[in-house]
Amino acid sequence: MADSTPDTARLIIGDQEIELPIIRGREGDAAVDIRGLRGKTGYITYDPGLGNTGSCTSEITYLNGEEGILRYSGYPIEELAKQSSFLEVAWLLFKRELPSRDELQAFEKEVIYHSMVHEDLKRFFSSLPKAGHPMAICAATVGAISTFYEAVRYEDPDDEHWAAAIRLLAKMPTIAAYSYKHSVGQPFMYPRNELSYAANTLYMMFGTPCEAYDPDPVVVRALDLLLILHADHEQNCSTSTVRTVGSSHANMFASVSAGISALWGPLHGGANEKVIEMLIAIRDGDRSASEFMELAKDKNSPVRLMGFGHRVYKNYDPRARILKKACHDVLSRTGTSNPLLEIALELEDIALADPYFVERKLYPNVDFYSGLIYQALGIPVEMFTVFFALGRMPGWIAQWLEFHRDQDAKINRPRQVYLGHETRSYVALDER
Ligand code: CMC
């Protein structure tokens, strides 16, 4: 599209014709710039779900849903999954370049150094119900930790943003692990600074003061892979939420806390939990796989095939492809089996041969296989979406930072088409 893309688009409304500039993306993507539309014509655009709306320009992630391509700052997700580490990917998302060895070491040290949370924060966890969903606990805690830094003043806003970025990235594993420890009534474990990011996360989740716990390297690597694959996904629901909240100049903690809440929903990150519930229901004989598929296609039923379909991917999600293979690897390397994997494979086979799914281009997404790996790593189902949030943290931060440096950025404030009552006079209570 790039070479043949015109510089302007012409829009005809009644007897008015206007020209709108076209913005070209790096990879042949293009957008009609409608910023002048309302001023010139009085019209706005109508796009529920914003599927045709570019809310920003970005240099962070490239996603081509038709071809199933995902790249962070130019690097294919497949290469990063094989060769990189989560913190290296975080740096890449923040800086758009891979770090040198020295830069990476210093960054890892800085992050791990900030992983401990304030002692007083522990009381915050204990004030919440043990059965409370950990996503609610994490969203509340991430918002709350901003209170510890309100009095810290920085002359340069970039320094303040970097400090917030490091703290969020560093403390999220601790917060995630504490949300779990609180639910099972075990003591909170302090981070161990000699461990890697993923190993520390597992240690704080599964270690206890009673006995030594050394995370299994296979499990550590599998978790690191999951975090890399979730690190960013351009303008998805939670990232758009982070940008929107940040657009009011709310601080990074508040913005990311809102992003965690957005991620929780079952149409977004919460799908990984729902996939396992669906597979368990099929395993336990509530419904056969084919009965389930019939329900998922029935427009009168609310059932959807969880972990299938995507707003942007109209092809196999490249993250799901990597995770499907990783699932087999992890199960064989940990010497475990999982009958749910067989059910997932059966569902995928049925769906990919079914005209309903084929015509609508519905393929497995990142959530279809991730839960099976989390299960193999011993992570409880209600923590799956928390691990998604842990992985997405660098993306949320990078997008927040990018928004704050964007000359075109404004407070997000969409318009609407009003369909309510016309003007009418107030009727006193006695006269109604
Ligand atoms: N099962 C059955 N039908 C589906 C599914 C599904 N999983 N997904 C989409 N459809 C149908 C939908 O009913 C519609 O049919 P029709 O054209 O006849 O009305 C058509 O496919 C298009 O779907 P849509 O809902 O208009 O598409 P969307 O882009 O608004 O929604 C989605 C995308 C991810 C919310 C949706 O595919 C879905 O609900 N999937 C299941 C939940 C899920 O796995 N979410 C994780 C998404 S990926 C990771 C992340 O973002 O967190």
Side-chain angles (χ1 to χ4, degrees):
M1 189 205 274
D3 291 343
S4 56
T5 308
D7 292 331
T8 57
R10 272 197 299 280
L11 178 68
I12 300 171
I13 305 179
D15 53 10
Q16 190 182 10
E17 178 172 332
I18 61 159
E19 249 186 3
L20 296 163
I22 286 179
I23 299 178
R24 292 158 189 257
R26 173 85 62 199
E27 297 280 355
D29 40 339
V32 179
D33 178 350
I34 57 149
R35 279 176 290 183
L37 178 65
R38 187 168 177 279
K40 285 181 186 158
T41 67
Y43 285 84
I44 58 169
T45 56
Y46 178 62
D47 186 19
L50 308 179
N52 299 283
T53 298
S55 59
C56 60
T57 57
S58 180
E59 295 177 353
I60 302 171
T61 289
Y62 175 67
L63 205 172
N64 180 325
E66 277 67 38
E67 293 178 33
I69 294 172
L70 174 62
R71 297 184 203 127
Y72 297 158
S73 205
Y75 294 101
I77 192 66
E78 293 78 8
E79 291 181 24
L80 294 168
K82 214 178 263 175
Q83 299 172 63
S84 188
S85 69
F86 178 60
L87 285 187
E88 184 179 58
V89 163
W91 176 280
L92 174 66
L93 296 173
F94 295 168
K95 308 271 187 184
R96 323 278 192 272
E97 293 297 341
L98 289 171
S100 67
R101 189 180 296 277
D102 286 350
E103 283 172 333
L104 181 59
Q105 274 173 2
F107 181 59
E108 286 171 343
K109 202 170 157 202
E110 195 179 5
V111 170
I112 209 79
Y113 180 77
H114 286 279
S115 53
M116 203 163 67
V117 296
H118 198 288
E119 276 302 285
D120 293 350
L121 195 69
K122 290 182 180 171
R123 289 206 302 276
F124 186 79
F125 288 90
S126 43
S127 66
L128 297 169
K130 287 204 183 315
H133 196 286
M135 281 299 274
I137 297 178
C138 287
T141 314
V142 165
I145 53 173
S146 69
T147 57
F148 291 92
Y149 308 111
E150 277 169 10
V152 186
R153 292 278 161 254
Y154 295 83
E155 270 179 30
D156 184 344
D158 283 351
D159 292 342
E160 183 181 328
H161 294 166
W162 184 251
I166 294 290
R167 285 181 174 126
L168 270 170
L169 191 59
K171 293 181 199 307
M172 188 60 196
T174 320
I175 292 169
Y178 284 11
S179 73
Y180 171 64
K181 288 297 197 193
H182 172 60
S183 73
V184 290
Q186 288 184 4
F188 298 159
M189 300 296 285
Y190 289 108
R192 271 171 48 195
N193 286 7
E194 78 279 12
L195 293 178
S196 72
Y197 192 88
N200 214 358
T201 306
L202 292 164
Y203 167 74
M204 289 188 285
M205 277 278 296
F206 299 119
T208 67
C210 318
E211 55 190 12
Y213 172 85
D214 287 314
D216 177 342
V218 173
V219 174
V220 171
R221 177 59 199 147
L223 177 57
D224 207 56
L225 171 72
L226 281 158
L227 298 179
I228 291 171
L229 295 180
H230 286 90
D232 191 50
H233 213 235
E234 51 116 302
Q235 306 314 316
N236 56 82
C237 175
S238 57
T239 302
S240 302
T241 302
V242 169
R243 278 185 178 256
T244 294
V245 176
S247 79
S248 74
H249 292 186
N251 67 52
M252 198 189 288
F253 299 95
S255 309
V256 167
S257 160
I260 295 174
S261 298
L263 185 73
W264 189 8
L267 296 188
H268 192 7
N272 56 17
E273 199 177 318
K274 297 292 168 204
V275 169
I276 293 294
E277 286 173 11
M278 171 183 85
L279 298 177
I280 289 174
I282 295 172
R283 181 199 65 190
D284 293 351
D286 296 356
R287 283 183 193 123
S288 71
S290 3
E291 279 168 352
F292 188 88
M293 295 300 278
E294 288 312 310
L295 272 180
K297 295 188 291 182
D298 182 354
K299 295 290 168 204
N300 296 318
S301 134
V303 172
R304 281 195 165 198
L305 180 54
M306 298 312 282
F308 253 73
H310 197 276
R311 170 61 61 78
V312 184
Y313 289 121
K314 301 302 166 201
N315 201 327
Y316 214 104
D317 180 337
R319 303 166 301 172
R321 201 185 295 284
I322 296 168
L323 285 175
K324 183 177 178 182
K325 183 175 174 309
C327 207
H328 288 288
D329 291 351
V330 169
L331 288 177
S332 74
R333 294 186 69 186
T334 52
T336 49
S337 66
N338 189 348
L340 298 184
L341 175 59
E342 301 309 318
I343 298 170
L345 293 170
E346 186 189 346
L347 281 177
E348 182 185 329
D349 284 347
I350 299 175
L352 295 186
D354 187 313
Y356 174 95
F357 290 89
V358 174
E359 281 158 19
R360 288 170 180 76
K361 299 189 171 136
L362 302 172
Y363 293 87
N365 60 49
V366 69
D367 293 319
F368 197 64
Y369 287 105
S370 63
L372 292 166
I373 307 186
Y374 289 132
Q375 259 201 336
L377 306 189
I379 291 161
V381 177
E382 63 280 8
M383 288 296 289
F384 287 3
T385 317
V386 171
F387 274 77
F388 191 151
L390 193 61
R392 185 54 53 86
M393 187 60 77
W396 287 331
I397 295 169
Q399 302 268 353
W400 190 98
L401 291 171
E402 185 175 57
F403 181 90
H404 281 75
R405 288 176 195 146
D406 184 348
Q407 301 294 320
D408 285 342
K410 284 170 166 241
I411 187 166
N412 282 0
R413 205 305 185 184
R415 295 268 176 172
Q416 64 166 13
V417 178
Y418 175 69
L419 295 177
H421 287 284
E422 289 178 353
T423 183
R424 47 189 179 157
S425 289
Y426 179 78
V427 180
L429 198 53
D430 293 345
E431 292 165 29
R432 275 175 239 162

